[in-house]
Amino acid sequence: MNPPTLRIATRKSALALWQAEHVAALLRAAHPGLLVELVPMTTRGDEILDQPLATIGGKGLFLKELEVAMLEGRADLAVHSLKDVPAQLEPGFVLPAILPRADAADAFVSNHYADLAALPHGARVGTSSLRRQAQLRALRPDLVLLDLRGNVGTRLGKLDAGDYYAIVLACAGLERLGLAARIRGRLAAPDWLPAPGQAAIAIEAREGQASVLALLAALDDADTRLTITAERAMNQALGGSCTVPVGAWCVLGEHGLYLRGMVGDAASGRLLHAEGSSTSDQAEALGQHVAATLLAQGADELLGR
């Protein structure tokens, strides 16, 4: 028997609410008559904006309160940007559905400069991501990279106020909010790697809730799950979190999976790359293989092990 109302825990940012509403609409379409409501919440990751995520506990701070709401029975599921979901979930939680992935590229956003190469020497660029900082420093070691936290609107507002010459955001987030016109250029694979799982929306639920899991399974995209599995397996094998600059990009073609991975150093701009291919039934093994190749190149040093 279906629950009378399916309750979605979500952060309160405009992007998080868009994603939760999107999932709610898909659920209503897949299960006519199902009632779905949002339970907006504020997480510690949303509240602490004056420190980099890497120093206050990582992206898992965006999940904790939503998971507590599910454990306490105040919500049945949570909707996340998959790149914010740690490689290892808390015990008792699963990801029963991953939606089709949108544009995984990063966006170069600037009001006065067409692309990264056009920025003047010493230009101030805002991003809170160590992965983005490492790749920026590799390309333009002269840039002054400054931390940038807050939701998409807050970040764009700081750019518009003149705090930065440019900022780097995710293309998918801007597109979902109707802000695609702000994208001056795409920083895209294979030369520039996104975060593992970037541009995919994940649905988290409690293990063992059979009726809820059955409803959510209808939304799962098998192809996206395959590529995400490889990226997250690589990240997990590296012990990746937002305290380490790790990039991953996996695609599914007619001959199987191709994965390119990166570990970087945000201070020096040193980047290590590795790649591999496999059949589609070996996604996890592919991720582990690419991670092992990166470790063999010396990624341990960059990972602080």
Side-chain angles (χ1 to χ4, degrees), residues 158-233:
K158 290 179 178 179
L159 171 70
D160 294 343
D163 295 356
Y164 308 94
Y165 285 67
I167 62 176
V168 181
L169 301 172
C171 284
L174 290 167
E175 289 164 354
R176 286 166 179 157
L177 291 173
L179 296 169
R182 298 300 302 261
I183 301 172
R184 292 295 295 269
R186 294 171 70 255
L187 301 169
D191 302 318
W192 176 287
L193 296 191
Q198 184 161 313
I201 295 172
I203 303 176
E204 183 183 22
R206 289 176 62 188
E207 206 169 31
Q209 287 191 303
S211 60
V212 173
L213 297 179
L215 291 169
L216 299 177
L219 272 53
D220 190 51
D221 183 74
D223 289 353
T224 300
R225 181 174 287 275
L226 274 178
T227 57
I228 293 305
T229 296
E231 293 179 8
R232 286 173 62 80

Side-chain angles (χ1 to χ4, degrees), residues 129-138 193-194 234-235 238 240-248 261-274 294-295 297-304:
S129 162
L130 296 179
R131 171 189 58 82
R132 289 169 177 159
Q133 289 178 13
Q135 294 183 99
L136 284 168
R137 202 166 294 287
L193 296 191
M234 187 204 85
N235 197 31
L238 292 169
S241 69
C242 76
T243 62
V244 178
V246 172
M262 180 275 292
V263 174
D265 178 27
S268 69
R270 181 186 173 202
L271 302 179
L272 300 176
H273 287 97
L294 286 164
L295 291 171
Q297 292 179 26
D300 268 350
E301 180 186 339
L302 300 186
L303 293 166

Side-chain angles (χ1 to χ4, degrees), residues 107-113 119 124-126 148-149 151-169 174 181-184:
F108 175 83
V109 183
S110 177
N111 292 328
H112 304 293
Y113 301 95
L119 289 173
R124 300 185 304 276
V125 178
L148 176 63
R149 293 282 315 282
N151 60 39
V152 172
T154 298
R155 297 184 194 199
L156 289 172
K158 290 179 178 179
L159 171 70
D160 294 343
D163 295 356
Y164 308 94
Y165 285 67
I167 62 176
V168 181
L169 301 172
L174 290 167
R182 298 300 302 261
I183 301 172
R184 292 295 295 269

Side-chain angles (χ1 to χ4, degrees), residues 251-271:
V251 290
L252 176 63
E254 58 180 290
H255 300 298
L257 294 167
Y258 166 81
L259 172 64
R260 181 169 170 81
M262 180 275 292
V263 174
D265 178 27
S268 69
R270 181 186 173 202
L271 302 179

